[in-house]
Amino acid sequence: MKVIVVGYGIQGHKRFRVAGEDAVGIVDPVAPEANWRRLEDVPVDRFDAAIVCTPDAPKIELLRYLLERGKHVLVEKPLFADGENDLRTLEALARRTSALCVTAYNHRFEPHFVRMRDLLQSGQLGSVYRCRIFYGNGTARLVRNSAWRDTGDGVLGDLGSHLLDTVRFWFGDVADNFRIVSAERFENRAPDHVVIAAEGRPQIELEMTLLSWRNHFTCDVFAEHGSAHIESLCKWGPSSFIHRTRVLPSGRPPEVSEILVQDDPTWALEYAHFRQLCGCAETDLSNDIWLHRTLTRLGHESQAGRGA
């Protein structure tokens, strides 16, 4: 499969490297390594698929151009548009031209995320009461100094899209009843520390920040028959997974743990998955539509300064 990378920033560099021998060129208006300055300049017979790593604003038009020509697309998250109908139109276009359009959420390929999903789906934990996730990095100053990143809903769209997608990866079609608990602007113009939560079963609390000077991720799932815990991601390793089995009426639970010390495998695994799907899977943007609806509503609330 012949692939071009559109947008050669941080993510574009990663994607180009992972595509390896499939990568046949770069599209970027300023990068000196670029083969073409505009997507329209690329001969359509030179590539089969594109990896789109641009800022949010031009994404929809770029995707429309590619899908109209039957080109498969892996696009960096989040997939935002002016409205849901734009995403539905893209989905219909992709299906009409038999092109695959997939939004990249590489954390779905994090080994412990897959293990958590499998444990939850196995039923071993019984009824799940509560899930709490923290995701933080220390990029507040980089974001503030960016020409385009310190705008809108800030960290909510950036890290919140990952966390909401993870919740759906683990628990399926959760209800859109998330609310803003807090949305702070400690250093940036856009929110740089946000907490959102949802009632029901399970209760879900998601905290995201650009103010964690040492990058960190933690997750705790508490349930009827035990609990499960993740600490750190492979890219920040070591990354640990712990499954504890409840002792009744009380007592120290036995636990099974796994610690991984390895390079981040998610980019290569995600690209291999995308490559495998091309030509044999139908475009389904229902997850993107749900995320768009939820993040748009929460973004309006965070920018309005609402929250408990």
Side-chain angles (χ1 to χ4, degrees):
M1 186 168 71
K2 295 179 291 185
V3 176
I4 59 172
V5 172
V6 184
Y8 201 55
I10 294 174
Q11 306 303 335
H13 278 77
K14 292 179 182 178
R15 297 293 183 183
F16 187 84
R17 183 173 64 254
V18 167
E21 294 182 356
D22 288 351
V24 297
I26 298 163
V27 180
D28 192 281
V30 295
E33 303 95 331
N35 305 91
W36 303 278
R37 294 302 177 198
R38 303 183 311 145
L39 181 57
E40 295 83 356
D41 296 333
V42 188
V44 293
D45 61 351
R46 289 287 301 274
F47 68 105
D48 309 302
I51 305 176
V52 176
C53 309
T54 66
D56 293 336
K59 279 181 183 175
I60 297 300
E61 285 304 315
L62 292 172
L63 296 186
R64 184 176 292 115
Y65 178 91
L66 291 162
L67 296 174
E68 283 176 347
R69 288 153 181 81
K71 305 300 182 181
H72 305 303
V73 180
L74 179 66
V75 56
E76 287 294 339
K77 64 84 188 170
L79 184 54
F80 284 165
D82 290 336
E84 289 181 26
N85 284 340
D86 290 334
L87 300 183
R88 298 185 192 281
T89 299
L90 278 182
E91 181 182 74
L93 172 61
R95 292 181 177 184
R96 187 167 64 250
T97 61
S98 299
L100 179 69
C101 183
V102 176
T103 304
Y105 282 98
N106 65 298
H107 289 338
R108 287 190 173 215
F109 298 87
E110 187 78 25
H112 289 331
F113 282 38
V114 175
R115 185 168 181 175
M116 180 70 82
R117 179 204 61 186
D118 293 345
L119 177 61
L120 289 166
Q121 292 184 356
S122 74
Q124 292 182 60
L125 291 177
S127 179
V128 179
Y129 300 143
R130 184 171 175 80
C131 174
R132 179 182 61 203
I133 306 177
F134 171 88
Y135 191 0
N137 63 45
T139 62
R141 187 58 54 86
L142 293 175
V143 169
R144 193 179 76 183
N145 292 341
S146 167
W148 59 273
R149 292 179 66 190
D150 192 14
T151 58
D153 55 13
V155 71
L156 178 63
D158 184 9
L159 300 185
S161 57
H162 266 310
L163 294 185
L164 287 168
D165 179 74
T166 296
V167 166
R168 286 172 63 83
F169 181 54
W170 288 347
F171 298 108
D173 293 330
V174 297
D176 177 17
N177 61 352
F178 287 86
R179 61 184 176 84
I180 295 287
V181 176
S182 65
E184 307 295 342
R185 297 166 176 81
F186 289 109
E187 294 193 359
N188 291 13
R189 292 179 294 275
D192 52 23
H193 191 110
V194 174
V195 181
I196 64 176
E199 298 300 322
R201 286 289 182 90
Q203 292 182 345
I204 298 171
E205 181 181 300
L206 308 176
E207 182 176 5
M208 60 217 75
T209 184
L210 303 179
L211 309 170
S212 179
W213 310 132
R214 179 174 179 176
N215 298 344
H216 197 46
F217 178 94
T218 60
C219 172
D220 300 290
V221 173
F222 301 100
E224 178 185 12
H225 299 316
S227 64
H229 311 267
I230 297 174
E231 184 164 355
S232 195
L233 306 174
C234 283
K235 63 181 177 179
W236 301 329
S239 174
S240 67
F241 184 96
I242 300 174
H243 172 204
R244 297 187 175 115
T245 301
R246 183 182 183 184
V247 172
L248 292 173
S250 68
R252 182 171 180 171
E255 64 180 45
V256 176
S257 65
E258 180 182 16
I259 298 176
L260 295 176
V261 180
Q262 66 178 79
D263 293 333
D264 184 356
T266 62
W267 305 93
L269 290 172
E270 183 173 52
Y271 178 71
H273 181 68
F274 168 70
R275 200 178 190 282
Q276 183 180 28
L277 291 178
C278 287
C280 65
E282 187 175 63
T283 293
D284 180 1
L285 298 184
S286 58
N287 186 58
D288 298 281
I289 291 169
W290 186 93
L291 290 169
H292 183 279
R293 181 187 309 128
T294 303
L295 286 167
T296 298
R297 177 178 57 78
L298 291 172
H300 290 327
E301 293 180 17
S302 70
Q303 292 176 56
R306 292 195 295 246

